Amino acid sequence: MMKKVQKMQQDMLKMQEELKNRTVEATAGGGAVTVVVTGRKTVEKVTIAPSAVDPEDVEMLEDLVTTAVNEAMRKVDEMIEKKWAKLLAG
């Protein structure tokens, strides 16, 4: 039993390290805004197409950024859940 617990701890550490190095990407507005987030939920990069920048409609750009970030965070959560399920199934 103790060996199983130790193996699970090692697997958890390995998974955490792997997630730290993985990224997910999400877009909004048909690619007008792209966000890259790490497995540790750190925003690594935000790309905004020049066509999305309208000084008369800043609110739309804010909404696109918010949408892209939220989608990227959802994808990270999904990735983590899959990794946990795989780990716990073993």
Side-chain angles (χ1 to χ4, degrees):
M1 179 71 159
M2 198 62 165
K3 285 187 177 189
K4 285 186 179 182
V5 171
Q6 288 175 337
K7 172 136 176 50
M8 187 176 218
Q9 286 176 330
Q10 290 173 344
D11 290 345
M12 285 172 45
L13 290 173
K14 182 180 175 184
M15 182 186 75
Q16 288 173 341
E17 190 64 30
E18 182 183 321
L19 287 172
K20 181 173 68 172
N21 296 320
R22 300 222 21 213
T23 60
V24 297
E25 182 177 294
T27 61
V33 175
T34 302
V35 175
V36 177
V37 176
T38 69
R40 297 189 86 159
K41 294 188 174 182
T42 302
V43 176
E44 194 170 86
K45 184 176 182 180
V46 176
T47 305
I48 301 172
S51 61
V53 181
D54 179 0
E56 300 297 317
D57 194 5
V58 174
E59 189 175 298
M60 182 193 69
L61 180 56
E62 292 170 342
D63 289 345
L64 291 174
V65 171
T66 301
T67 300
V69 169
N70 287 337
E71 177 64 13
M73 293 301 179
R74 186 196 63 74
K75 286 182 176 183
V76 169
D77 287 341
E78 186 178 287
M79 179 177 65
I80 291 170
E81 284 178 32
K82 285 180 182 178
K83 289 287 186 184
W84 273 110
K86 189 176 182 180
L87 178 70
L88 295 176

